[in-house]
Amino acid sequence: MSTEFGKGCHLHLIDGSAFIFRAYHALPPLTRKSDGLPIGAVAGFCNMLQRYVEGNTGPDAPTHVAVIFDHKGKTFRNDLYDLYKANRPPTPEDLRPQFPLTRDATRAFNIACKEVEGYEADDIMATLACQARDAGGRCTIISSDKDLMQLVGGGVEMLDAMKNKRIDRDGVIEKFGVGPERVVDVQALAGDSVDNVPGAPGIGIKTAALLINEYGDLESLLDRAAEIKQPKRRQTLIDNRAQIEMSKTLVQLDCEMQLDFTIGDLEVRDPEPEVLLGFLAEMEFRTLTKRMADQLGQEPPVITEPAAVAAAPIEAVPFDRDAYTCVTSAEELQPWIDRIQQRGWVAVDTETTGLDSMVVDLVGISLCIEPGEACYIPLTHRAAAADDLFGSDELAEGQMPLAIALEMLKPVLQDPAILKIGQNMKYDAKILHRYGVDIAPIDDTMLMSYALHGGLHNHGMDTLSDRYLDHTPIPIKPLLGAGKSAITFDKVPISDAVPYAAEDADITLRLWQLFKPKLHLSQVTTVYETLERPLIPVLATMEMHGIKVDRDTLSRMSNAFAQKMAGLEDEIHALAGRPFNVGSPKQLGEILFDEMGLEGGKKGKTGAYATGADILEDLAGTHDLPARVLDWRQLSKLKSTYTDALQDHINADTGRVHTSYLQTGANTGRMASSDPNLQNIPVRSEEGRRIREAFIAEPGNVLLSLDYSQIELRILAHVAGIDTLKQAFADGLDIHAMTASEMFGVSMDEMTPDIRRQAKAINFGVIYGISGFGLARNLRIPRAEAQGFINRYFERFPGIRTYMDATVEFAKEHGYVQTLFGRRIHTPEIAAKGPRAGFAKRAAINAPIQGTAADVIRRAMIRMPDAIAHLPARMLLQVHDELLFEVPEAAVEETIATAKSVMENAADPAVHLDVKLIVDAGRGANWAEAH
DNA sequence: GACATCACG
DNA sequence: GACGTACGTGATGTCC
């Protein structure tokens, strides 16, 4: 949303850095109780914002507001004078981690938050103040920094928030002895010891004002310096002319910065109570949370008291498999429960009869409270049978009844004051849910590692234990066996199960102790707490709902495909002159290139002929056989992967298919779906799309598909700051046609589908880290021509080049890139030599775009359950930029409106995108119709 | 278990 | 100047 700024409007600019430093020095070094994160400055900052917001009433209230921060690192003034601000004391160590939190705080108050690399906050405020004045509006700069006084006048004033004193033209004259327009002249002469601006030695503000008033301005003074009567003063000005002129450029603020936003974007917005209170509670500001809740008329969220601080250092306790306890009775379990309640947290792991959490049975539970102290509670292990062929239905000796164990553990597992720690908690949560336990609150070491180490390695327990605990866990293979003779965990003897299961909980607890403090050191606490952890229950619910799949439809299709394939196979064999396995690329290659002598060489390290679709398509013009093979392959894929395999995934109890989402599946922040993968159900080909007819809604319901339109290109337009693209999206243009029009000089009316198609390929190529070769292959055009397209694209949209170069540079410097929401994707290969460098570069360019899009839909998914709680709608699937719902017909319209709004506003308030997100909706009795 | 292929965003 | 290249996934069948 953005409104025009003009007459009658009033812009407030808050000097964020001044707020931070004042807050930091005004308060004792407070730390967050739960983890020791320093938060004193953030607390003071929030208090100041709260008081500011509270006092914003009456005729003087702002219509627009922003908090302006200094961007970290050097500014253009350092290029002018390398000693600029060189004698500033270094930033205190405990203040550093608080800088990003003050940005978070600002956004939590729903106030615009701006900073620009290479510039100081003062320049941004100067530019905005000038813009506000030129537009005929008012501007109040909330700061007492004298460097800003040059801006006063013509509707611009300053406000010293501490003294609640307005500074107008008279105030400036009082301070500098000259009007605002001559302040820089005085500063250039007087210098500034704080900012290390040299000025003229021996001349202070008083003398400077005297001189400027006498000679009119600095230039005249310097030109006529010889006329000065006092000899010392005269000599100083003559000797130091260059230094004085340089000082003026240092203190002169830049009123003409190019900003990627307008004042209109800074419109005052009310805080969203949920977001603001959530942030304050996360910071554990008890008093402020309450005060703010009162002010907003909301119930304050509960901030749990953290339990006593963690125990022995991790290295101090060696792993000891013999030290683990087997809990066999209620009497033995009770002391563990007592200790968990004292401690306030526990690592939990469940053992089950398999991997399909919708089907398998609970076999046992392990717990760990302190490193090295873990227990396993066997519950449904089977007794070894005499013949040992089929096992026994009898429970093994030495186990407490499942019902009793659950009855005792349930209060602990559901206790809001006890944190349950797990590795891949979604799995355990789903299992426990089937036994009537809704586990919460939780932490998940797998997701912590994903937030910390995304891109470096996978996040399975074995990997993490090896890497971070220097300990190889007991392998499961020897216990279960492999292949046909594999057994399920309930058949494992309890004596073998105890060390294995208890060790998993032990490892999980140790990883948690290690990762928890690392989260905020790496500044990914927010990612973990707002993008990862809250998604667990959302995904668990979606997976448990599943989607209805009609077996008969699939079965009919399968038969039809089989028939067609048989026909094609005969044709292919006839064309080849002999029968062969059409499904074997090796045999096909030999037929095509050796026996039939078609053009096209060997490829790949294995020496086999490449027979991919692109190659066969090229050959299809010369011969019928490759064309038939392409048809056959398409059918074969559809039949084996979809119509056949999908049927095996229909749950016998629910009649639905329950996929499993792997939250840590993709390095970019995307999720992966497996068993079955429901993120790659065919849609591009007409025949393939019919598979989706088998995905249906329950009677009386419809499937609802909501998908983001061009989300990655929109994000690219935002992050690379491409005004033409932003405008095109704002105008609702066909973005590929617009690109074509810009690049090829074709007007939109003269657009042909082919030109548009080429532009579309380029747009996608850009997102992927374009190369001439890649584009040439994709468009099947000469490489030089493709390179020409790319060059023209970069000429037309120079910001894209800049973005790409800057991203790669960032990756080289930091070893990671990040999304707009702070997710870090590590790029360990970025320094590699040879072709691997190319891969790493393109991945680094793509990751922030793909990752930001992934973060956006995650935020939407996390908010969705509450948003649609009043509706009979259920969220079923996520396909990267699409959410699929099942909803009774009567509630369709309201569900569309609600869910669409959640999705379109998902970036707010954490990130304000310059480009609106648009969501398209479709509905139908099945997925083919809905999409 | 590696490889090739192909389904999706 | 040459290198090989679109980004991110999962499932299937062949072949060793």
Side-chain angles (χ1 to χ4, degrees), chain A residues 63 155 173 261 292 335 387 710 718 740 804 820:
Chain A
T63 57
I173 294 173
F261 59 93
M292 205 68 229
D387 59 8
Q710 307 286 8
H718 173 91
M804 289 182 158
L820 288 181

Side-chain angles (χ1 to χ4, degrees), chain A residues 157-175:
Chain A
E157 290 186 353
M158 289 175 66
L159 176 67
D160 184 340
M162 296 318 278
K163 298 178 190 151
N164 197 21
K165 192 179 135 204
R166 283 204 157 266
I167 303 167
D168 53 14
R169 188 178 167 84
D170 291 341
V172 175
I173 294 173
E174 189 184 323
K175 171 89 189 169

Side-chain angles (χ1 to χ4, degrees), chain A residues 775-848:
Chain A
L775 183 66
R777 202 179 56 176
N778 192 287
L779 286 177
R780 294 165 181 278
I781 57 177
R783 195 172 152 178
E785 196 179 336
Q787 192 56 53
F789 286 176
I790 293 168
N791 293 344
R792 206 167 332 160
Y793 189 95
F794 283 146
E795 269 169 41
R796 196 58 207 79
F797 307 109
I800 304 264
R801 227 295 108 80
T802 315
Y803 163 77
M804 289 182 158
D805 293 346
T807 306
V808 172
E809 267 318 298
F810 187 96
K812 281 184 179 159
E813 190 184 335
H814 297 92
Y816 62 85
V817 293
Q818 52 192 351
T819 67
L820 288 181
F821 298 90
R823 175 188 303 284
R824 292 185 180 182
I825 297 121
H826 292 85
T827 54
E829 296 267 77
I830 198 78
K833 291 267 173 268
R836 280 157 65 180
F839 278 112
K841 262 186 171 178
R842 291 191 297 271
I845 290 167
N846 173 258

